[in-house]
Amino acid sequence: MRDGLRIVHAHGDRVTVTEPTSGVELFSYVYGPEAPWEAPKPYLHPLRTLAGNVVTDYRPNDHRWHKGLQMTASHLSGANLWGGNTYVHGEGYLELPERVGSMRHVAFDQVEADGTGSGGAVIAERLTWHPYDGSLWAEEERRVEVRDVDPASGSWALTWTTSVTNRRDEPLRFGSPTTAGREMAGYTGLFWRGPRGFRDGRIIGPDAEGPGLMGRQAPWLAYSAEHDVADGHATLVFAHAPENDHTGEGGAHPAHWFVRNEPFAAVAPSFAFFDELELAPGDTLTRRYRVVVADGVWEREEIAKYLAEHPW
């Protein structure tokens, strides 16, 4: 029986998950506070394949606030929990530090690996969301799980579940640069920034491929690219759970993909690409995602087969 994953918790800084057979650190979940201008929030970096190759970027020179894989909110009731400059329609991106907020770690409810050999690990965390003045706008319960570690196929999977409860006395409005007036820039929510070498990678969907998938709807989207500092390729498959395409009191808010391979690699299953999502006081917004990290190039048929064999 294969040994279970190993977890090392450097308190106040990060949690690192390691695959014991190879000794590869699959990722570090970093929750220690960082630069205020970058809208400090927890993130996963470096994220690695089972072969040990890194598939995320950290503080690239074009967007210092892009950090691996992270939950973000680019436009939230006038606040910027994304980082950097804020998009203002008709004026472009402006330096408005008074709009930059944060997502703060409160406590972990669970940080443990499954020692039975099934290859699982769980990080369950509580966070709070704040605008620039530090007032409480939301409380979040987050659960990051590692599952389906499979050396034979060179893949492993991560699930990210987030439940955000509005603690204001008025609605929280989730938006994006597109809801603010910039065409086809609907980034918000869970966001992945690929390494520099992944530029011009291959974007694959269930029935189409290429950067034209920007703003489209699909249950999954994959990104394949060649490593810049190592031999071989990697494929990341991003999927959102069926219940994410819900219809609530605020209307339907299905996921639309934000994706690009130029001038950098990025993927986000945006929950407010074209339309704002309004969360009433006391209500909770829940979203669940999966990211499959695989060595090699996976074709559409292989991706569909994997997802069918690993149901939600």
Side-chain angles (χ1 to χ4, degrees):
M1 182 172 63
R2 182 166 51 86
D3 292 337
L5 299 174
R6 290 201 307 264
I7 288 185
V8 175
H9 186 182
H11 289 269
D13 183 28
R14 68 189 60 207
V15 176
T16 301
V17 177
T18 300
E19 201 286 310
T21 303
S22 62
V24 171
E25 293 183 356
L26 298 182
F27 64 84
S28 286
Y29 183 85
V30 183
Y31 65 95
E34 295 194 350
W37 175 241
E38 297 168 8
K41 64 183 76 68
Y43 59 88
L44 267 67
H45 176 81
L47 191 68
R48 293 185 175 92
T49 69
L50 287 179
N53 296 316
V54 176
V55 292
T56 49
D57 205 354
Y58 173 75
R59 298 190 76 246
N61 59 10
D62 49 41
H63 295 79
R64 293 297 188 193
W65 47 95
H66 286 187
K67 298 174 182 177
L69 179 71
Q70 57 183 342
M71 178 58 62
T72 68
S74 58
H75 287 245
L76 183 68
S77 295
N80 170 2
L81 275 65
W82 171 267
N85 293 341
T86 300
Y87 179 78
V88 177
H89 188 55
E91 301 181 67
Y93 286 89
L94 304 179
E95 187 174 330
L96 300 172
E98 68 276 10
R99 293 196 185 186
V100 180
S102 63
M103 299 178 186
R104 302 177 188 171
H105 167 79
V106 174
F108 288 114
D109 293 323
Q110 187 179 5
V111 177
E112 63 182 35
D114 184 343
T116 66
S118 61
V122 175
I123 300 171
E125 181 186 26
R126 282 177 281 130
L127 306 97
T128 52
W129 293 25
H130 307 269
Y132 179 78
D133 66 9
S135 58
L136 177 64
W137 274 16
E139 293 178 324
E140 180 191 357
E141 293 185 0
R142 180 178 299 181
R143 187 176 179 89
V144 177
E145 300 178 72
V146 179
R147 52 195 289 192
D148 302 323
V149 179
D150 183 9
S153 67
S155 68
W156 63 279
L158 176 90
T159 60
W160 184 305
T161 305
T162 177
S163 295
V164 181
T165 301
N166 181 5
R167 294 307 184 197
R168 301 181 79 194
D169 295 329
E170 57 186 279
L172 274 175
R173 301 188 312 277
F174 292 82
S176 67
T178 294
T179 67
R182 183 186 174 198
E183 293 186 0
M184 302 305 284
Y187 53 83
T188 197
L190 189 68
F191 182 82
W192 167 77
R193 171 66 189 255
R196 191 175 303 274
F198 275 31
R199 179 176 176 175
D200 198 32
R202 182 184 179 195
I203 302 166
I204 311 168
D207 54 11
E209 65 178 81
L213 288 169
M214 173 75 85
R216 299 272 296 275
Q217 292 177 265
W220 61 265
L221 185 147
Y223 195 105
S224 295
E226 185 174 10
H227 298 294
D228 191 32
V229 296
D231 293 332
H233 295 70
T235 300
L236 285 86
V237 182
F238 302 87
H240 64 90
E243 69 268 19
N244 290 357
D245 285 344
H246 79 295
T247 301
E249 292 183 358
H253 288 278
H256 293 80
W257 292 102
F258 175 86
V259 59
R260 59 175 42 156
N261 59 4
E262 289 287 348
F264 52 79
V267 174
S270 174
F271 47 63
F273 196 112
F274 294 109
D275 300 292
E276 284 192 339
L277 189 160
E278 186 173 290
L279 187 65
D283 282 3
T284 299
L285 173 70
T286 298
R287 289 290 185 271
R288 188 161 56 117
Y289 306 98
R290 177 186 297 165
V291 182
V292 182
V293 182
D295 286 298
V297 176
W298 282 20
E299 298 294 339
R300 181 176 293 113
E301 295 74 15
E302 187 174 2
I303 295 168
K305 181 175 184 290
Y306 177 94
L307 294 175
E309 293 175 349
H310 299 80
W312 287 96

